[in-house]
Amino acid sequence: MVKAAQIWYAAFRMKLYNSLTQDQTLFTPVGDDVTLYVCGITPYDTTHLGHAFTYVTNDNLVRYLEYTGYTVTYVQNVTDIDDDILRKAAEIGEDWWALGNRWTRHFIDDLITLNVRPPDFFPRASDVVSEMHTLIQSLLAAGYAYESAGNVYFQVDKWPPFGKLSKLPATEMLPVANERGNFPDDPHKRDPLDFVLWQAQKGGEPAWESPWGKGRPGWHIECSTLASHYLGDSIDIHSGGADLIFPHHECEIAQMEPVTGREPFVRYWLHTAMVRYQGEKMSKSLGNYIGIDETPNETYGKVMSIPDKLIYPYFELISDVDLSELAEIKHKLNSADVNPRDLKKHLARTVVRMYHGEKSSKDAETEFERIFVQKKLPDQIEEFTLDAATCRIDDLLIITKTASSKSDARRLIQQGGVSIDGEKISDPFMEIGINREMILKVGKRKFAKISVKN
Ligand SMILES: [Zn+2]
């Protein structure tokens, strides 16, 4: 029997922009279970709309994949041991572990505010220290890494494909890496671009025992290890902010492909745009940020509930979305007559355009509306009366407002979600006799009682 997911997929082919191939590629997971890894936060300070954009975008993706019938296994990590945490903890005189816990809790509350579907696994980097040792040992044994004074480094020039994700020329790699956590002057490195897999304990730092002495892991090895530990050596989708492409994700690939023999490590690399605000990338260091728990302004607070109020600012702020279509919505927003549904509708269309391209966006809007916008169904069963003795099932779905069109009705039936008096319907053109009282059910949620007119 053909799975509902496949039917749905055939009717509705999703394209994703893959940073590795730099084009929109038809999304075809290896199985019915889609594996997704999203780089999580380093919990040392507040999270803002810039961070949230990544998690909300991936939330849309997860919900959409699940809606189309796939099972999604979603892992999001917490980088709980990192230079930034240790620096901040020393600055404010708080224990690094307590600081990390405090901001992780804060982040979880923010995600609850945003109503995102929680990841299936939310591991800390420090959960898999011994697994990191195993991966580092494989890299050493295969000749891609070297040890020096209790540190272990990846030797970049040993692996020629390095750079295949970012496409950065060798001369541009070092300045970018230096801005993002690299220490080029580390005297133990053979080359300034080599990156750390394991670092020897420095005074007062937390440390774990290892084959190379006490120390702690490098940032990049944490994500490679967590992704492969929970999802395997080759995963469907890996996502994160676009500023992680280099060096973080480039290094993740380099740590996996030479030793697992599985290529590609990640089949679809999805990167979310940087949120811009006041002309610059939104960032804590520049101070130009809006916290997730802040209300963007009075108007949003009055007319929209969370997370509706957050949707507009995302699209206003991100740099590569055409804002002209939003002008009318913005106008409405500033007048008294505001309908939050318009905003969600626009979100639906924008997201669908991102995933599918322009052509499908109109069709898909209806579907997205069903997933994201549909109001809570009434507790009471709705009653409909028909004056015919028989009725075709696709017509019946339209009459009861369960489907908006015949194609919509067919899609619902093909997904296997429609039943009448407990019996599943598989043929959309089936003629059914109208009983005195008949219960129509779509999925677990929607009911209609249909009676015959006397
Ligand atoms: Zn990561």
Side-chain angles (χ1 to χ4, degrees):
M1 187 182 149
V2 186
K3 284 213 161 202
Q6 288 161 328
I7 298 168
W8 177 238
Y9 171 65
F12 212 104
R13 293 147 79 85
M14 180 170 73
K15 282 184 173 177
L16 294 173
Y17 183 84
N18 186 350
S19 310
L20 184 66
T21 54
Q22 298 197 323
D23 59 9
Q24 282 193 20
T25 317
L26 206 59
F27 178 66
T28 47
V30 174
D32 286 332
D33 186 3
V34 177
T35 47
L36 168 69
Y37 185 89
V38 181
C39 281
I41 53 149
T42 302
Y44 69 99
D45 207 332
T46 193
T47 36
H48 54 63
L49 289 182
H51 305 109
F53 183 61
T54 295
Y55 305 110
V56 170
T57 304
N58 279 289
D59 181 54
N60 286 333
L61 175 65
V62 170
R63 286 178 196 258
Y64 184 64
L65 287 167
E66 289 183 332
Y67 177 72
T68 59
Y70 292 112
T71 306
V72 179
T73 307
Y74 172 14
V75 179
Q76 187 193 124
N77 71 298
V78 179
T79 304
D80 67 339
I81 176 71
D82 178 90
D83 292 343
D84 286 329
I85 294 185
L86 299 178
R87 181 182 43 75
K88 185 70 184 273
E91 249 172 54
I92 62 172
E94 186 175 3
D95 175 69
W96 70 278
W97 182 255
L99 176 81
N101 283 344
R102 188 158 61 78
W103 284 112
T104 302
R105 181 67 249 171
H106 192 95
F107 177 65
I108 292 169
D109 288 342
D110 282 342
L111 292 190
I112 292 169
T113 302
L114 292 168
N115 190 31
V116 303
R117 175 245 207 238
D120 299 291
F121 299 98
F122 190 58
R124 291 160 174 268
S126 61
D127 291 341
V128 290
V129 173
S130 67
E131 286 82 356
M132 290 186 223
H133 293 161
T134 308
L135 181 55
I136 295 169
Q137 277 170 318
S138 311
L139 287 160
L140 280 165
Y144 294 101
Y146 59 93
E147 188 193 347
S148 175
N151 306 285
V152 185
Y153 301 95
F154 185 95
Q155 188 168 346
V156 170
D157 63 12
K158 287 268 180 183
W159 197 59
F162 191 79
K164 69 179 182 175
L165 175 66
S166 62
K167 323 285 193 273
L168 280 177
T171 49
E172 287 174 32
M173 286 181 182
L174 192 59
V176 180
N178 293 349
E179 275 173 27
R180 298 173 180 169
N182 183 48
F183 294 104
D185 302 327
D186 180 346
H188 305 296
K189 283 194 206 181
R190 291 179 187 166
D191 184 281
L193 198 58
D194 291 350
F195 57 90
V196 70
L197 301 170
W198 187 260
Q199 47 202 321
Q201 183 179 24
K202 295 190 198 92
E205 282 187 359
W208 288 259
E209 295 291 347
S210 88
W212 316 284
K214 278 188 150 194
R216 62 181 172 95
W219 171 33
H220 314 307
I221 199 76
E222 298 180 350
C223 281
S224 287
T225 308
L226 285 165
S228 59
H229 181 69
Y230 287 95
L231 301 172
D233 292 343
S234 182
I235 66 178
D236 288 314
I237 306 171
H238 192 316
S239 181
D243 54 345
L244 297 181
I245 294 174
F246 192 87
H248 186 51
H249 291 164
E250 195 76 69
C251 295
E252 277 193 54
I253 297 174
Q255 291 163 154
M256 295 299 292
E257 290 184 2
V259 287
T260 62
R262 297 285 302 275
E263 196 189 329
F265 162 46
V266 173
R267 299 174 61 246
Y268 299 85
W269 282 98
L270 300 193
H271 291 102
T272 48
M274 293 293 99
V275 172
R276 293 173 68 81
Y277 184 47
Q278 297 170 346
E280 302 266 10
K281 173 185 154 184
M282 183 180 279
S283 76
K284 275 179 290 208
S285 54
L286 290 172
N288 62 336
Y289 67 87
I290 301 172
I292 294 172
D293 51 358
E294 289 177 60
T295 304
N297 71 31
E298 271 299 303
T299 315
Y300 303 136
K302 271 186 212 153
V303 299
M304 291 182 224
S305 62
I306 291 171
D308 300 310
K309 68 179 181 183
L310 291 160
I311 290 165
Y312 182 73
Y314 285 134
F315 289 97
E316 186 180 45
L317 298 175
I318 56 174
S319 55
D320 54 358
V321 168
D322 179 9
L323 299 182
S324 55
E325 286 179 46
L326 282 177
E328 200 187 329
I329 294 172
K330 192 175 183 181
H331 178 71
K332 278 188 197 165
L333 193 68
N334 290 329
S335 66
D337 178 29
V338 176
N339 182 357
R341 283 171 67 91
D342 288 345
L343 292 180
K344 281 212 166 184
K345 228 171 161 173
H346 189 84
L347 170 73
R349 212 183 295 132
T350 307
V351 171
V352 170
R353 192 179 295 127
M354 274 158 51
Y355 294 152
H356 300 268
E358 188 67 47
K359 231 177 126 197
S360 331
S361 69
K362 269 264 172 279
D363 265 2
E365 187 184 319
T366 320
E367 299 309 321
F368 257 88
E369 209 172 287
R370 200 203 320 279
I371 317 170
F372 296 109
V373 186
Q374 200 172 51
K375 279 182 182 158
K376 240 190 152 181
L377 292 162
D379 297 332
Q380 294 269 321
I381 291 179
E382 287 181 64
E383 292 198 38
F384 296 87
T385 308
L386 298 179
D387 56 4
T390 62
C391 185
R392 237 170 68 169
I393 184 71
D394 54 352
D395 288 330
L396 189 69
L397 290 177
I398 294 169
I399 291 163
T400 55
K401 298 186 184 106
T402 311
S404 57
S405 64
K406 293 212 176 198
S407 60
D408 191 27
R410 275 199 297 280
R411 251 186 322 248
L412 280 175
I413 293 161
Q414 281 169 344
Q415 285 169 68
V418 177
S419 59
I420 287 181
D421 287 343
E423 216 166 296
K424 247 187 188 169
I425 304 295
S426 56
D427 175 10
F429 309 114
M430 195 173 86
E431 194 86 9
I432 49 159
I434 308 294
N435 302 323
R436 209 141 264 289
E437 267 191 6
M438 191 168 66
I439 301 290
L440 172 73
K441 201 170 166 184
V442 177
K444 287 177 186 154
R445 301 178 60 205
K446 186 148 192 169
F447 301 88
K449 187 154 77 177
I450 298 134
S451 321
V452 183
K453 197 177 182 182
N454 289 317

